[in-house]
Each structure stands twice: as structure tokens, then as C-alpha cells.
Amino acid sequence: MTRAEPAWADAGPDDVLMLQMLPTFAVREAEDDLPLSRAAQRLVVFLALRDHPVRRAEAAHTLWGEASGEHSAASLRTTLWRVGQVHRGLVRATPEWLSLADTVAVDVRAAFGLARSLAAHGELPADSGPVAGLLATDLLPVWCDDWLFAFRERWRQLRLHALERLAERLAAQGRFVEAVDVALTAIDGEPLRESAHRSLIRVHLLEGNHGEAIRVYRALVRLLRTELGVAPSPGARALLGEIRPAQ
């Protein structure tokens, strides 16, 4: 699978800073990474995952909730000061509100837009490899912050849906090699996700590879029985009904 280009690779000339969160954290200005502390990284990510300004109190409570209100507010002020020492154009702060500066290009925001477009029948890429590589990438997987869970899960679900839809649309255009690779990427992202296996089965059926479709279905039966003690859904079984015996 081709390694994905950063989702902000086509950022315009006004985009001074590039914020990467898929899969690791980095803030880049030209070719240089900004040396942000761990606390500063957490604040930047917290703001980047929201498309609207955030109240200072909310940021302090979420990021330093184990401390008292006074201490969490002080930690936030200290972190903002340190961010400003590294780059004054990264975070916009008022006495009540915080947000990333408009000149920061965020890879996750671009990736969400791409995944939504693909899931909603947007234009197919000329080369699906880099797109599949991006959609296979988790959001900061080594970070353990509880407040990241909902954002990480939202991205995971969206990217898997986009991969499944992309595989089927590629197959409908006769791009079967790419379609199989994309469907397998979806399965690799969540092996117990039946809809990903159904996408691969549909790709094989569209290509006329009935034996491959049956093999994938039987592997799904074994996997679900072993791991979950359940059988595939009627929808998965119905796919094989499209295979007609020779007359």
C-alpha cells in the first residue's frame, strides 16, 4: 500500500504552519518542526479537533482536570505562554476564548473532508493508493488521553466507511486491483467488521471471481464463529445468492 501524503500537502501559500496528527504529532513551519512541550502539544490537539473557539475554562478543565480550578487555569496560562515563546502565530487567545490561528493547516480536518466526500460519492482519486494509505491511518494512536476517544472513534468509523465505499466504487469502474487493495485495507483496519468483508465479496463478484467471493465468505464465517460466536448477517449470505449455477 502506498504511503499517504500528508492531508495538508496541497495547502495554499497563506498556510504558514502545518499541524500533523495522523498518525503522529508535529507542527511544521517550512521544513522545521516546532519544539513544543507535551502540555503544549495536548493543548494544540485539543483546539485542532474543534472547528470553533473554546472557552478557556473548558480547555483547562479537560486538559488539567485532576487539578483544582485555580491550578488548572494557571497550568493553561503557563502552557499558552510557552506556546507563544515557540511561535506566536499558532494559538489565538483572548481573555475568554482559545482557538488555533486561521493560518494553521490541520491534516485531520482535511482528512475528514476527504473521507466524507468519498463516502458521499465524491470524485474518485486518479490513484487510490495514497488515499487508502491516509484512510488506514489512526489518530494519534499512542496517546492515552481520555478526551481523545470520541474524536479517534469518529475518525475510525468514517475512514472505514470511506474505504468500503471507495472499494466498491473502484470496482464499479473496473479498477479491480485497486478495489481489492482498498477493501483489504478496510479489513485490516478492523478484521471483525463484517461490512468490510462484504465490500471485498462485492468486488470479487463484480470481477466475476465467484470462487474468491465464496472463499472470503467462508473465512468470514470461521472468523465470526471463532471470535464472536455468531454467524454472518443475512445480508452477507445474500451476496452469494448472486452466484448462479451453470445451466
Side-chain angles (χ1 to χ4, degrees):
M1 182 174 62
T2 306
R3 176 64 180 172
E5 289 296 321
W8 35 258
D10 295 327
D14 293 333
D15 293 317
V16 177
L17 298 175
M18 310 297 187
L19 171 56
Q20 172 186 309
M21 293 184 282
L22 297 172
T24 57
F25 178 93
V27 179
R28 297 194 176 99
E29 183 177 32
E31 300 298 322
D32 299 322
D33 288 0
L34 300 187
L36 294 174
S37 68
R38 172 64 172 164
Q41 292 180 20
R42 293 172 72 242
L43 175 61
V44 168
V45 168
F46 179 81
L47 297 176
L49 292 175
R50 290 154 176 82
D51 293 326
H52 54 81
V54 178
R55 291 185 181 276
R56 281 177 174 257
E58 179 186 351
H61 175 74
T62 302
L63 298 175
W64 293 278
E66 72 281 358
S68 66
E70 180 179 342
H71 282 88
S72 63
S75 296
L76 175 60
R77 288 193 299 271
T78 299
T79 301
L80 285 169
W81 179 83
R82 289 176 175 166
V83 169
Q85 294 299 299
V86 174
H87 198 292
R88 297 182 62 82
L90 180 55
V91 173
R92 177 179 296 165
T94 72
E96 187 173 0
W97 299 94
L98 300 172
S99 67
L100 285 188
D102 294 337
T103 52
V104 181
V106 182
D107 67 341
V108 169
R109 294 178 183 175
F112 264 93
L114 173 63
R116 290 190 179 107
S117 175
L118 291 172
H121 299 281
E123 183 178 356
L124 287 177
D127 180 2
S128 64
V131 173
L134 175 65
L135 296 177
T137 306
D138 286 324
L139 170 63
L140 298 172
V142 301
W143 286 33
C144 300
D145 301 76
D146 291 340
W147 52 269
L148 266 177
F149 174 80
F151 296 98
R152 185 180 286 135
E153 184 63 14
R154 185 179 297 120
W155 167 242
R156 190 180 76 89
Q157 291 294 331
L158 178 60
R159 68 180 180 80
L160 290 174
H161 276 101
L163 283 168
E164 293 164 5
R165 181 64 62 188
L166 177 59
E168 294 174 22
R169 294 177 62 203
L170 288 169
Q173 290 195 356
R175 296 165 63 177
F176 295 112
V177 173
E178 294 173 86
V180 168
D181 186 61
V182 170
L184 289 171
T185 299
I187 292 172
D188 185 59
E190 180 45 76
L192 296 177
R193 186 179 173 91
E194 183 187 297
S195 56
H197 293 266
R198 291 202 305 264
S199 291
L200 181 58
I201 292 171
R202 290 190 186 98
V203 170
H204 287 314
L205 291 174
L206 283 170
E207 195 174 8
N209 289 328
H210 295 169
E212 291 288 350
I214 293 171
R215 184 182 62 81
V216 172
Y217 176 78
R218 288 174 175 169
L220 175 63
V221 170
R222 293 192 297 271
L223 178 67
L224 294 181
R225 180 188 299 126
T226 300
E227 297 296 330
L228 302 177
V230 300
S233 70
R237 296 194 294 272
L239 288 174
L240 299 186
E242 300 178 18
I243 300 176
R244 296 290 183 263
Q247 299 297 319

